[in-house]
Amino acid sequence: MIAIHSIFESISGEVGFISQGSWCTIVRLQGCNLRCRWCDTKESQSIEAKYILSIDDVVARCKNSKVLLTGGEPLIQKETLELIDYLIEKKHFVQVETNGSISLPKGYLSDCGWVVDYKGPSSGMMDRMPSFEEFIDNWIEHRVIVKLVVDNSEEDLEFVFQVLSKMHGLFQFAISPLDAKGEKILDIVNFIRERDEKLLDELIFSIQMHKVVGLL
Ligand SMILES: Nc1nc2[nH]cc(C(=O)O)c2c(=O)[nH]1
Ligand code: SF4
Ligand SMILES: [Mg+2]
C-alpha cells in the first residue's frame, strides 16, 4: 500500500526525461522529510495521507504511457520502488522527481529517469543534503538530471557555481529559478558566464510551464 496525495493528468512542466510540454499522468506521493522554505506543494508534506492505495490501484489509474512521480518525496516510501518497477513492467515510461536527501538501496537499478534536486541555501535544507561524494556515489549509475532550484541571490549563485565546479562532467544539470516564469534566468546565466563560461554547456535552464499556462 502506498500513500498518495493525488493522481492527475497535466503537462510535464519542468525539465526532465519526459519532454517539457508533454501530456502525462502525474502521481503525487504523500509525505516529505524536508520543509523547503519555498515549497510549492506544502499540502503534500504531511505524512497524513488522503489516499492509501494498492500498487495495482495506482497503476490502473495511470492512463498515460508517460508517468511522472513527484511529491512530497517519493523515496520516503519503500513501496515507491515497487511502483516504479511495476509501471515499467506495464510499459510506461517513468520519471521520478526526488529531493536529493535520500539514497537508493545499493544495487537498485531501473530504467526510469531521475530528476534529483540538490538543495541550496534559499531552501533552508542544505544541511540535509549528502556530501558531494555521497551524492555522486548514489546517483552515478542512474539516468539523472540534477536540478538546482535557486534564486538570483549571491549565496544561491555561489552555490550553483560550487555544485557545478565539484560535479561537472558527471551529470546533466538543470537550473530552475524560483520564479515560475524564469525572469531570474538572465542573472544566473550572466553570473556563470563571468565565472566560467564553459560550465554553461552542461546546463539546461527550466521554467515551470504548468504554472505559466495555469495548469495544476
Ligand atoms: N515536472 C513536473 N511537471 C509538473 N506538471 C505539473 C506539476 C505539479 O506540481 O502540479 C508538475 C511537477 O511537479 N513536476
Ligand atoms: S522536498 Fe519538495 S515537497 Fe518536500 S518540502 Fe521541499 S519542495 Fe516541498
Ligand atoms: Mg511540482
Side-chain angles (χ1 to χ4, degrees), residues 8 10-14 26 28 41 68 70 95 97 210 216:
F8 56 99
S10 185
I11 278 176
S12 168
E14 299 175 25
I26 299 183
R28 187 181 303 293
T41 52
L68 199 166
T70 188
Q95 173 183 317
E97 298 179 339
H210 51 295
L216 204 72

Side-chain angles (χ1 to χ4, degrees), residues 16-28:
F17 299 89
I18 300 177
S19 301
Q20 191 179 38
S22 343
W23 201 244
C24 63
T25 299
I26 299 183
V27 179
R28 187 181 303 293

Side-chain angles (χ1 to χ4, degrees), residues 48-122:
E48 315 249 312
K50 253 194 275 180
Y51 307 106
I52 308 276
L53 301 179
S54 69
I55 303 284
D56 278 346
D57 214 354
V58 176
V59 174
R61 286 163 200 247
C62 292
K63 303 288 178 226
N64 203 290
S65 61
K66 291 153 264 160
V67 179
L68 199 166
L69 303 185
T70 188
E73 169 44 52
L75 292 180
I76 61 171
Q77 303 189 66
K78 62 179 185 340
E79 293 79 4
T80 297
L81 299 182
E82 214 182 301
L83 174 60
I84 295 169
D85 292 342
Y86 194 41
L87 282 165
I88 291 173
E89 197 183 311
K90 293 284 182 188
K91 308 288 181 227
H92 293 275
F93 181 80
V94 181
Q95 173 183 317
V96 187
E97 298 179 339
T98 179
N99 67 27
S101 69
I102 297 176
S103 300
L104 290 172
K106 277 267 168 270
Y108 177 81
L109 265 180
S110 110
D111 279 339
C112 73
W114 298 93
V115 177
V116 187
D117 287 357
Y118 197 90
K119 302 285 184 188
S122 60

Side-chain angles (χ1 to χ4, degrees), residues 31-42 44-45 71-73 99 117 119 125:
C32 186
N33 58 328
L34 301 186
R35 292 292 180 269
C36 302
R37 233 175 252 145
W38 33 248
C39 179
D40 64 351
T41 52
K42 291 203 166 63
S44 65
Q45 289 178 346
E73 169 44 52
N99 67 27
D117 287 357
K119 302 285 184 188
M125 291 291 124

